[in-house]
Every structure is written in C-alpha cells, then in structure tokens.
Amino acid sequence: MIGELLFFLVLGIVGLEAVDEVERKVKQPNIVMMVADDLGWADMPWHDSLAIAPTLTGLADSGIILERHYVQPICSPTRSALMTGKYPSRLGLNHMTINAGEPYGLGVDEKTIANHLKDLGYATHLSGKWHLGYCSWALTPTQRGFDTSFGYYNGKETYFSKISAKYFDFRLDRLGDDGNTT
C-alpha cells in the first residue's frame, strides 16, 4: 500500500512537471504598440475612407485599437506616460520635451513597460523615437528593458538626413549578454 501510494505520488509530481513544461511552451501573444505624433482622428482609414493605409488597416482588423485615451501635446510627456503607466506630472515630465543634450531623462528608478514585459518572458524591441533622455547610458532604451533599439534618441529629426540639433542621430543598440549596450 505504501509502495503504491509512493508510486502515485511520484507519478503525480512527474505529471505536474510535465504540465508546467507544456504551459511554458504555450506561445504568448505578440504585442505591437504604435505611437504616432501629431496624428489626427480622421487620419486613420477606420475613421475616414479617404485615408488609405492598408497595412495599418490590416493590423487594426486583427488586433485591438486603443483610441479613447489621452496624450500630451508634446512628445516626452506622452512617451513617459506610455512607458510607465504614470501621469507625466508624477514623473516631472509634464511640461517639457527632453531636448538634445539635456542632462536629464525618465528617472532610472521608473520601471518601463519593456521591463514588465521582460519579466513575463517577452523579447522587447524599440523602433523609432525614444525621446526620454540619453545623457547617460542608464537612460537609453537598452538599459530600460529593451533588447534592441533602432532609431533616434532625440526629436525633430528628418527621416532622410537623420539630423537632430545639427548632429547625426540614428542608432542600432543591442543589449549584450553582459548587460551592456553595444
């Protein structure tokens, strides 16, 4: 009797481990977040049939459109709220854009959505404009939860020349195995 109980107990533990392994292999859904500065309500095809954007329409048709949310009138406050889930006024970033060369950024003690997604096992990538500070490596995207960052640290660049504040601003950063940006 004790032998049978021990056998079932061991079998039960092995069974639980197998279930856990199967649950870990279940694919997590992909999450794609897009932020478009200066985009008007009628600039999207699902609001105005004169707007033509087949790729965005396809993404919207197969995803969720979040469009009943408020943003700030300038870049850095909007991005700080999106990245942290906090009001920009709580972050000290509600009235200003972080300009090139400014000696501050989104506080390093603030956990970003990329940090939270990494904790859940996601790979995280940023493409586009960061605009949350870069005066030290600790403020840059790959030190804020992103595995890679492809784009700009600043604002007001042109997509053709990639110039911001008279300087070239276009980067491809990767987080190395040692935790440093390469």
Side-chain angles (χ1 to χ4, degrees), residues 64-160:
I64 300 171
I65 301 171
L66 300 175
E67 58 185 5
R68 302 274 190 227
H69 304 277
Y70 294 99
V71 297
Q72 305 301 310
I74 52 179
C75 309
S76 299
T78 293
R79 281 171 170 70
S80 66
L82 177 69
M83 289 292 163
T84 63
K86 296 181 179 179
Y87 288 111
S89 59
R90 302 239 178 213
L91 302 167
L93 295 171
N94 53 318
H95 294 299
M96 60 207 151
T97 297
I98 301 170
N99 294 314
E102 293 286 338
Y104 64 91
L106 179 64
V108 294
D109 56 329
E110 296 296 338
K111 197 167 182 179
T112 69
I113 190 167
N115 296 123
H116 291 290
L117 290 171
K118 291 290 291 180
D119 291 346
L120 295 172
Y122 278 89
T124 56
H125 307 280
L126 174 72
S127 178
K129 181 169 62 170
W130 173 243
H131 218 182
L132 289 172
Y134 70 98
C135 66
S136 73
W137 283 116
L139 295 175
T140 61
T142 52
Q143 297 299 311
R144 305 310 300 270
F146 289 98
D147 296 317
T148 62
S149 173
F150 179 72
Y152 310 97
Y153 284 170
N154 291 303
K156 302 178 188 170
E157 344 19 51
T158 67
Y159 290 106
F160 300 107

